[in-house]
Amino acid sequence: MSALEAVQAVLAAEHAAVYGYGVVGARVGAARREEAAAGLAAHRALRDAAARAVRDLGGEPGVSAPAYALPFPVADADAAVRLAAVLEDRVAGAYADLVRAASGAARRDAAAALREAAVRAVRWRGGGVAFPGLAERP
Amino acid sequence: MGRSGLTRRRALVTAATAAGVPGVLAGCTGAGTGGGGAARPSAAEAARRAELALLRRSAAVSGVLLAGYDEALAAHPAALGTRLAPLREAAARHVAALTPPGERAPATASTGARTGSPDPGAGSRAPGTGSPDGRTAGPDAGAGPPGAGTASGAGAAGVAASGASAGGAFPRGVPAEPGAALAELAALASRTAAAHTAALVGAPPESARLLASVAAAGAAQAYLLGEGGRG
């Protein structure tokens, strides 16, 4: 996977996260609505940064789909919390692959984004996984 | 004309290449004069060894955090057992993943600290820890009554921890108060994540990806040990 492909994958994951956090915010309930809004803002900024990184590498940034299939029905606050954690898991995977494909400042930024995604995931879930972003090490 | 220009350009490229890799040239010369040309590692072999050394160092870094979990669990099994067990398991997996295949995990305090029970072998391996009883003073320090007894217990625990721990998870011993132990573990998890983050910058691609994941896990553990674990 080239650096450009990895950044495009990050951008796609961030597009999906922005969409997903909209659903999370609508369903999560008053207690955690602020956290959902903060997550949405973070992923918008990360999405824009990823689009810039694609252009810097000479690529054309992928665009958001009009809608995304949710991994499971999100009808209540519990499901919204689970969705938020899954969204973070997915962006974590994309950033881990970008760490592998990139070097220098781009690699450091990807590692920082992976760390932040892992922390947001444990905030939502209340517990962590041993290897955030590494699907092959469940 | 074109031909001579090409030749000159090739000569310039050769010169630039030679100037750009003084280390390789020096290595050739050294091997040649030493007569050990066959023993000189190739660039690929040198890179592989550097990666193994990086992974070993990183395994040792995570080993200190693992030792910290073991020491805290030994000192506060009832208060922190449920909370720390999953984090300890993750740290153990980090050490295993970072240890190069076919090698043993780095020796850390985990081997000593987990032997809260009497273990003559562990006692004899750790000079300076005093009597084997000093080692078992760690768990008692938290359970004992406050006052002079606790102070001496904490002191013994400190000696045991420093004697058992080469990496120094708790340089002054496990705090007698579980909350203080959690705070020190949170700081240790943060330092572990920072060390892995620094190491990944110069690491080969796959190792960098693994280190980034382990660093992220460390940051998440620091959160769970600190503000995220309350309530």
Side-chain angles (χ1 to χ4, degrees), chain B residues 9 68 70 72 75 87 113 135 165 188 200 219:
Chain B
R9 194 161 66 203
D70 283 335
L87 304 182
R135 183 179 295 279
S165 167
L188 180 57
L200 72 87

Side-chain angles (χ1 to χ4, degrees), chain A residues 93 96-97 99-101 103-104 107-108 111 114-116 118-119 122-123 126-138, chain B residues 87 89-90 93-94 97 193 197 200-206 208-210 212-217 219-221 223-224 227-228:
Chain A
D97 290 348
V99 167
R100 176 173 57 197
S103 60
R107 177 184 279 188
R108 274 196 294 274
L114 170 54
R115 274 198 313 281
E116 286 155 20
V119 172
V122 299
R123 279 178 95 111
V129 296
F131 295 96
L134 305 194
E136 74 278 18
R137 295 181 191 268
Chain B
L87 304 182
E89 285 317 303
R93 291 186 66 196
H94 295 159
T197 299
L200 72 87
V201 175
E206 281 300 339
R209 180 169 175 267
L210 174 61
S213 176
V214 175
Q221 292 203 346
Y223 172 81
L224 288 168
E227 52 178 315

Side-chain angles (χ1 to χ4, degrees), chain A:
Chain A
M1 185 186 278
S2 72
L4 178 56
E5 287 168 328
V7 178
Q8 287 280 25
V10 163
L11 177 57
E14 291 292 3
H15 276 311
V18 167
Y19 176 89
Y21 261 95
V23 177
V24 171
R27 293 272 189 266
V28 79
R32 304 194 77 173
R33 196 160 287 145
E34 223 171 279
E35 202 179 334
L40 178 58
H43 285 291
R44 279 187 175 140
L46 287 163
R47 174 202 61 192
D48 294 346
R52 280 194 301 275
V54 168
R55 282 193 205 93
D56 288 348
L57 290 170
E60 183 65 30
V63 297
S64 172
Y68 290 83
L70 300 176
F72 43 79
V74 182
D76 56 17
D78 284 353
V81 167
R82 277 189 288 126
L83 174 60
V86 167
L87 296 172
E88 298 296 352
D89 290 348
R90 290 185 179 175
V91 300
Y95 283 113
D97 290 348
L98 180 54
V99 167
R100 176 173 57 197
S103 60
R107 177 184 279 188
R108 274 196 294 274
D109 288 349
L114 170 54
R115 274 198 313 281
E116 286 155 20
V119 172
R120 279 191 299 267
V122 299
R123 279 178 95 111
W124 285 115
R125 202 176 263 132
V129 296
F131 295 96
L134 305 194
E136 74 278 18
R137 295 181 191 268

Side-chain angles (χ1 to χ4, degrees), chain B residues 77-116:
Chain B
L80 301 180
T82 312
R83 179 103 172 256
L84 295 186
L87 304 182
R88 190 239 171 242
E89 285 317 303
R93 291 186 66 196
H94 295 159
V95 173
L98 290 167
T99 302
E103 295 186 16
R104 290 181 53 150
T108 66
S110 63
T111 35
R114 284 169 70 190
T115 56

